Amino acid sequence: MLKDIFSYFCTGIFSMPTMQRYFLYFRYDGTAYHGWQVQPNSLTVQQVLQDALSTLLRDDVAVTGAGRTDTGVHARMMVAHFDFDGELDCAQLVYKLNRLLPRDISAYKAVPVDGGMHARFSAVSRTYHYYVHLRKDPFLRMYSCEMFYNLDFDKMNEAASLLLGYDDFAAFCKSNSDVKTTLCRVTEARWVKDGDYSWHFVITANRFLRNMVRAVVGTLIDVGRGRVDVDGFRRIVEGGSRSGAGESMPANALFLENIEYDGI
C-alpha cells in the first residue's frame, strides 16, 4: 500500500518529459533567400521557418534540414526535423504554420517519427532538377536558364550516363569547401525534354557536394556546345580538379525535387 502511494507521487514528480520528433515537409521559392542555412545578417529559409515554428509552439524550436541549398536555389520538397515536448495535431500544425509563413514558403505535411530518424542523415537519396530553355521566353526566365546556342542533348546524355560509374566527384565540388569526403553515389543522371525548346536535367544521388549539381550541368553544357567531347568529360571526372570542369550555372534554375527515406 505504502509502496503504491510512494510510486504514485514519484511518478508525478520525477517523470521525464517525453520529446517527440517530427518531420516537416515544405517547399519554397529561394529567390529572396540567402540559402537554407542560418547566417548572420542574412535572410535564410531555416531562420524564417524556425521563427514561425517558435511563435506557433511558444517555445524555441530548432529545425535541422535534409541538406543545404545555396542562395537563390528552390525546393519543391525539403524536409526538416524538430523536437517538441508533447503530441501535436499535425494537420493543424501545417494549417496554422502556413498562416505565419511568407507566401514563398509553404508547409504541406508533418509526421511524427522515431527519435533516431534524422532529416539529413536518414535520407537515402535526393533528386535535383536543373531547367534550361533555348529561346527567349519571359515566362521561363525566373526559373530556367536561357541558353544562347544550340545544344546536342544526345551527347550530353551520353556524358551524363558516365556519372553512374564513378563515386568521387571532387571535380564538381566548390573550391575550398570544408567537406570531409567527395564520395557520392549517383543513381540517375539524364536530360529530359519538356517542350519544343525546354529541357531539364535530373540527377539523383545519396548525397551532393556543395555546388555539385550546377558544376555538373555547366560541364555538360560544354559537352552540348562541342567544347568538350564525351571522353573529355570522362577525363574531367577522373581528374578530380574543379578547375578542369565547366562553370557553375545560375542558381535560379535549380530545384531540390525529392528526398527519399526508408520507412516513411
Side-chain angles (χ1 to χ4, degrees), residues 24 50-51 71 111 117 130 143 174-175 192 196 249 258:
L24 179 67
Q50 286 185 163
D51 289 347
T71 300
V111 293
M117 291 292 291
Y130 193 92
Y143 304 107
K174 185 172 183 177
S175 299
V192 178
D196 291 341
M249 299 295 288
N258 191 44

Side-chain angles (χ1 to χ4, degrees), residues 164-175:
L164 278 63
Y166 293 91
D167 57 13
D168 192 332
F169 294 95
F172 306 115
C173 183
K174 185 172 183 177
S175 299

Side-chain angles (χ1 to χ4, degrees), residues 118-126 185 187 204-207 259-263:
H118 193 286
R120 178 182 176 189
F121 299 122
S122 298
V124 296
S125 73
R126 299 161 174 84
R185 186 176 69 255
T187 54
T204 302
N206 64 325
R207 64 187 293 265
I259 305 167
E260 294 285 346
Y261 296 90
D262 283 336

Side-chain angles (χ1 to χ4, degrees), residues 219-237:
T219 311
L220 289 172
I221 293 294
D222 284 344
V223 173
R225 295 179 63 187
R227 301 174 68 181
V228 176
D229 61 19
V230 175
D231 285 337
F233 183 83
R234 185 196 306 274
R235 289 192 295 271
I236 288 171
V237 178

Side-chain angles (χ1 to χ4, degrees), residues 193-212:
K193 188 173 184 178
D194 298 319
D196 291 341
Y197 55 91
S198 57
W199 296 70
H200 72 272
F201 179 60
V202 182
I203 184 166
T204 302
N206 64 325
R207 64 187 293 265
F208 286 92
L209 308 173
R210 187 177 180 187
N211 210 232
M212 175 176 164

